[in-house]
Amino acid sequence: MNSIGRGFDRSSSSIYPLLARTGGIRPPNRLRSRLALTLMDREEISRGLRAKLSLRSIARSLKRSASTISREVRRNGGRAQYRAAHSNTAAWNRAHRPKLCKLNGNAYLCREISAKLIRKWSPQQIAGWLMREHPDDESKRVSHETIYRSLFIQTRGVLKKELLAHLRATRAIRRSRHATLKRTGVGKFNDAISIRDSPAEVEDRAVPGH
């Protein structure tokens, strides 16, 4: 968070609330459906309405059904107030629906995961146990990443926030493995000497180990 803050000339305390919304997990990139109306389509609709063309005529020019054009115009202010840019932004915002988590509505998985987290099982151990217990029933299995996401992204509303306290590494948001190694110093050599400072006798390789 300090590195991100320096990039925006902000303190880490102003970065944290933004990351906390998704539990420190990068949200997936949003993609517009290939069947949805594009901004260019909406520009054509706006031009057609200004030219007082019928909705059926506009639909034919766009190779769309008349009902599609009618709904588009009706939900965005009607003939008099329809604007392409505003309608395109509104459609993008309306389509922003969170994807349902696999744990949502699955009482068995929520119960078993909660019980094992309280017993200090790690999400990896829980995922492995579920795989062994239900090798032929995918509805009763879940990956460790889904468990982490359900804990850190509280808007999913499937696992209680209090269960975070039972993770072995207690923290408020998810951190990458690389960030954890950097923080703890794991993977670094203590008192390391640069290869450029090696003594000259290593070049002839006369001594075993050089």
Side-chain angles (χ1 to χ4, degrees):
M1 284 185 283
N2 287 327
S3 301
I4 297 172
R6 284 194 296 271
F8 292 100
D9 194 23
R10 294 289 187 274
S11 65
S12 61
S13 60
S14 64
I15 302 300
Y16 176 82
L18 298 175
L19 298 183
R21 294 176 187 173
T22 57
I25 299 170
R26 181 178 179 176
N29 294 328
R30 291 184 62 195
L31 297 175
R32 192 186 294 270
S33 169
R34 60 182 180 84
L35 301 177
L37 290 170
T38 64
L39 179 58
M40 292 182 62
D41 292 336
R42 292 185 167 93
E43 288 285 358
E44 289 298 317
I45 294 172
S46 183
R47 289 172 180 269
L49 294 174
R50 187 175 181 83
K52 298 187 183 305
L53 298 178
S54 69
L55 297 182
R56 289 186 179 277
S57 176
I58 298 172
R60 281 196 299 271
S61 67
L62 292 174
K63 297 181 180 179
R64 299 274 187 167
S65 69
S67 61
T68 298
I69 305 304
S70 176
R71 284 194 302 271
E72 169 69 14
V73 174
R74 186 172 63 252
R75 68 163 61 107
N76 291 294
R79 279 180 170 271
Q81 300 180 9
Y82 186 88
R83 297 293 184 272
H86 175 77
S87 301
N88 195 62
T89 301
W92 180 252
N93 292 335
R94 282 194 300 267
H96 192 198
R97 302 184 185 92
K99 184 179 179 181
L100 286 178
C101 170
K102 187 174 182 181
L103 295 180
N104 197 300
N106 194 320
Y108 169 79
L109 282 176
C110 290
R111 183 176 64 252
E112 292 297 330
I113 291 171
S114 298
K116 285 174 171 48
L117 284 172
I118 292 172
R119 293 168 59 189
K120 300 296 184 181
W121 283 38
S122 70
Q124 288 87 344
Q125 287 176 317
I126 297 171
W129 179 82
L130 290 170
M131 178 70 74
R132 292 190 299 273
E133 286 292 306
H134 311 285
D136 302 319
D137 190 349
E138 191 174 347
S139 66
K140 293 184 178 179
R141 303 197 311 260
V142 71
S143 70
H144 69 277
E145 186 62 30
T146 298
I147 298 173
Y148 276 119
R149 287 176 179 269
S150 299
L151 286 168
F152 286 106
I153 306 178
Q154 282 298 302
T155 52
R156 291 186 168 192
V158 289
L159 293 177
K160 293 182 178 180
K161 190 174 183 178
E162 290 76 10
L163 292 172
L164 281 170
H166 296 286
L167 291 176
R168 294 171 184 175
T170 56
R171 49 184 177 265
I173 63 174
R174 184 84 187 272
R175 297 183 186 273
S176 72
R177 179 172 60 87
H178 303 291
T180 304
L181 291 178
K182 182 178 180 180
R183 186 175 66 254
T184 59
V186 175
K188 293 184 178 181
F189 291 104
N190 295 323
D191 303 322
I193 299 174
S194 172
I195 194 171
R196 291 189 295 271
D197 299 327
S198 299
E201 59 265 23
V202 303
E203 296 298 331
D204 57 13
R205 302 185 181 182
V207 179
H210 283 334

